[in-house]
Amino acid sequence: MKQGRYKIIELFINSLRDLAPIVAVIAFFQFVVLRQPIPNVLNLLSGLLFVVIGLTLFVRGLEMSLFPLGEAMAYAFARKGSLLWLLLFAFALGFGTTIAEPALIAVADKAAEIAAQGGGLENTSVAQHNYAIGLRITVALSVGFAIVIGVLRILRGWPIQYVIIGGYIGVVIMTWFAPPDIIGIAYDSGGVTTSTITVPLVTALGVGLASSIRGRNPMVDGFGLIAFASLTPMIFVMAYGMLR
Amino acid sequence: MMDHLAHFWHVLLATGLDVLPIVLIIVVFQVGVLRRPLPHLRRQLIGFSYVLLGLTFFLVGLDEALFPLGEIMAQQLTAPSVIGANTANSWTAYLWVYVFAATIGFATTVAEPALIAVSIKAHEVSGGAINVWGLRMAVAIGVAIGIALGVFRIVSGIPLQYFIISGYILVVIQTAYAPRSIIALAYDSGGVTTSTVTVPLVTALGLGLASNVPGRSPMLDGFGLIAFASLIPIITVMGYAQLGQWRAHRKARQSDKLTGE
């Protein structure tokens, strides 16, 4: 227990250090460039304290829960030896964590607005809502698909670069045909799909799978699931833009 | 402080709802398919509540303190009175915007929880060969370059895909030469850089710029900064590994020279 307390203090100091650059940047621009006082200093300080506490708790919880959880499930699936269930789990994890992702909801609503302005969509709130929901389902499907491909890659030992380069070629070809107003959103959607809880869970799953299968190296084969999950949404969103 | 507390419950509820699908999927597969109890269930539950509480504190703090200030700064820096002083699109007019883009990209990435998670895991899996701090710096420098390039694209109006496709070509070339063990991690680092902290601030910067630079539309040109922030770190992380390899190589050659002849 005593060790746990030291650990928390160490993590707290790390969090303070992690936050220092943001404070420095904001202070520099506020005082030197914009030459304005910081409004509501007390509020800012208590907010910063919240951020530091939050980061500390998160990292502690990560090591206690998300990492061991992802690895334990990977070992259990490897022992069970059923490919179908593992792939179903991979798909469900990708789809389920993406469909409710707040950043994605924001981007989908924005995209619907653009489509309505561009004239490709009726300018009613119902049409926009349907478009946004469709886009979210598209992205969630693409992330589910990405985790499935990524897990298959780990099991089969395919070199990651071939799959990624294949994906890049897919993006380039789709860019050629997609309507220009969807491209910016499609490219951004790759970055917003992977949330703070999904990343550690999926990473631990990949590393756990690669270490439980003979002949796989966790460093070479275990990483890469996140990479697929940020690549496939670009292709799927451009396809969605073309089909609509 | 009272504002924070009122906000706290709201965010805790929202975070809980976001996490619900993940919890459901894990429980269904654990109980229905794997049919074995989780090891250290109590520790897992405590850890999971730390994660939930931690994220909530984190988001409340960002919402109440950092985001409003960061967004106001992004708006002020991109205001016509600052950037439009000389309407000629010379890059010096935007100097502070570039500096802000690069430094805020760097700073938010250092505080990004998902990146901290992946760096800890990479350090552990590589048996300590990958340095947590070194990896995070390489990614943060990548995001800094990425956001600054993205700002340049909005200012200049060059189509996004030219930059991204050139980036892809560079990634493919580097992949051929980079050490094999870094490749998957480098690809991953592109996806983890942009989440909780970076996206809202960077979006505010992009939309502010696109609405104020003459000839740009916020709808069409405001997007794309995230795409840069997910691409350039792949290049810098591979570069970081290549630099390490090159230095080790040179050192080995030098010691060969000393002892060899």
Side-chain angles (χ1 to χ4, degrees):
Chain A
M1 208 55 221
K2 201 164 182 191
Q3 216 180 353
R5 212 169 299 147
Y6 280 130
K7 180 91 189 165
I8 280 279
I9 292 169
E10 193 196 323
L11 291 176
F12 190 80
I13 293 169
N14 285 349
S15 306
L16 275 178
R17 187 195 57 186
D18 293 342
L19 214 63
I22 295 192
V23 176
V25 169
I26 287 191
F28 174 77
F29 275 89
Q30 197 73 6
F31 294 133
V32 179
V33 180
L34 297 168
R35 297 213 182 108
Q36 273 158 4
I38 288 185
N40 215 341
V41 176
L42 217 65
N43 203 46
L44 181 71
L45 286 180
S46 62
L48 285 175
L49 183 68
F50 268 52
V51 173
V52 173
I53 295 173
L55 209 52
T56 309
L57 283 175
F58 177 80
V59 174
R60 184 82 186 115
L62 200 71
E63 286 165 348
M64 282 173 71
S65 165
L66 290 184
F67 280 160
L69 181 68
E71 278 174 22
M73 292 197 80
Y75 290 134
F77 273 114
R79 209 173 309 125
K80 191 175 171 67
S82 158
L83 181 65
L84 182 67
W85 280 118
L86 176 58
L87 294 184
L88 263 177
F89 175 71
F91 183 83
L93 197 64
F95 186 89
T97 55
T98 308
I99 194 85
E101 170 67 29
L104 176 62
I105 296 175
V107 168
D109 290 345
K110 205 83 195 167
E113 232 173 276
I114 294 178
Q117 282 189 353
L121 191 68
E122 266 181 81
N123 207 345
T124 61
S125 59
V126 177
Q128 282 191 27
H129 180 74
N130 288 340
Y131 183 91
I133 295 278
L135 191 63
R136 275 168 63 191
I137 293 174
T138 307
V139 175
L141 280 175
S142 72
V143 175
F145 174 74
I147 308 284
V148 168
I149 295 287
V151 165
L152 264 179
R153 177 192 84 82
I154 295 175
L155 298 180
R156 300 275 183 263
W158 300 331
I160 187 168
Q161 54 270 37
Y162 297 147
V163 190
I164 291 283
I165 292 172
Y168 282 174
I169 293 172
V171 171
V172 173
I173 292 174
M174 292 303 284
T175 305
W176 197 266
F177 294 107
D181 51 357
I182 198 90
I183 292 175
I185 292 184
Y187 283 12
D188 272 4
S189 67
V192 298
T193 50
T194 43
S195 81
T196 310
I197 293 185
T198 320
V199 166
L201 206 57
V202 164
T203 304
L205 183 79
V207 168
L209 275 177
S211 14
S212 59
I213 296 169
R214 194 185 308 227
R216 297 285 168 274
N217 172 341
M219 201 57 216
V220 174
D221 303 299
F223 289 93
L225 289 178
I226 306 294
F228 292 132
S230 8
L231 187 57
T232 53
M234 297 194 200
I235 301 173
F236 277 55
V237 169
M238 283 193 271
Y240 184 74
M242 281 161 64
L243 296 175
R244 285 297 301 225
Chain B
M1 208 64 185
M2 283 319 283
D3 288 356
H4 293 351
L5 283 179
H7 193 157
F8 188 84
W9 296 114
H10 181 75
V11 176
L12 184 62
L13 194 73
T15 312
L17 280 178
D18 291 343
V19 177
L20 201 62
I22 308 180
V23 174
L24 276 180
I25 290 164
I26 289 173
V27 169
V28 164
F29 275 87
Q30 198 69 43
V31 175
V33 180
L34 295 171
R35 297 214 182 104
R36 57 172 66 241
L38 272 173
H40 314 294
L41 187 61
R42 218 178 86 91
R43 194 178 149 86
Q44 291 270 0
L45 287 177
I46 295 173
F48 205 83
S49 53
Y50 277 4
V51 168
L52 208 59
L53 268 179
L55 262 186
T56 307
F57 269 109
F58 192 73
L59 291 173
V60 170
L62 289 177
D63 276 352
E64 300 267 327
L66 281 177
F67 286 162
L69 197 59
E71 277 164 25
I72 291 172
M73 288 173 74
Q75 281 162 13
Q76 285 176 336
L77 282 170
T78 55
S81 57
V82 178
I83 56 172
N86 35 354
T87 33
N89 267 0
S90 73
W91 69 274
T92 46
Y94 296 95
L95 179 63
W96 284 122
V97 183
Y98 288 118
V99 176
F100 181 72
T103 49
I104 203 78
F106 179 90
T108 52
T109 306
V110 171
E112 201 64 82
L115 177 61
I116 299 178
V118 168
S119 316
I120 293 174
K121 199 79 213 167
H123 177 75
E124 186 191 308
V125 170
S126 67
I130 287 173
N131 178 304
V132 174
W133 196 241
L135 179 63
R136 286 171 63 194
M137 285 300 112
V139 174
I141 290 170
V143 174
I145 298 171
I147 308 275
L149 256 183
V151 166
F152 170 72
R153 183 197 79 82
I154 295 178
V155 170
S156 64
I158 301 169
L160 174 63
Q161 54 267 42
Y162 295 174
F163 287 91
I164 300 296
I165 292 172
S166 322
Y168 283 173
I169 295 171
L170 193 56
V171 168
V172 172
I173 295 172
Q174 272 186 301
T175 303
Y177 296 100
R180 221 175 129 237
S181 59
I182 198 79
I183 292 174
L185 182 64
Y187 289 165
D188 265 5
S189 59
V192 298
T193 49
T194 45
S195 61
T196 331
V197 200
T198 317
V199 171
L201 282 180
V202 163
T203 309
L205 184 68
L207 291 177
L209 258 181
S211 7
N212 291 325
V213 176
R216 303 285 169 274
S217 113
M219 285 301 183
L220 287 185
D221 301 299
F223 291 93
L225 287 181
I226 307 293
F228 278 96
S230 334
L231 178 61
I232 311 295
I234 304 182
I235 297 170
T236 52
V237 170
M238 282 202 271
Y240 166 68
Q242 285 174 300
L243 193 69
Q245 199 183 31
W246 178 74
R247 273 157 76 182
H249 199 75
R250 202 181 55 170
K251 217 170 158 187
R253 261 220 317 246
Q254 272 173 351
S255 59
D256 275 359
K257 254 189 208 148
L258 284 177
T259 52
E261 280 146 307

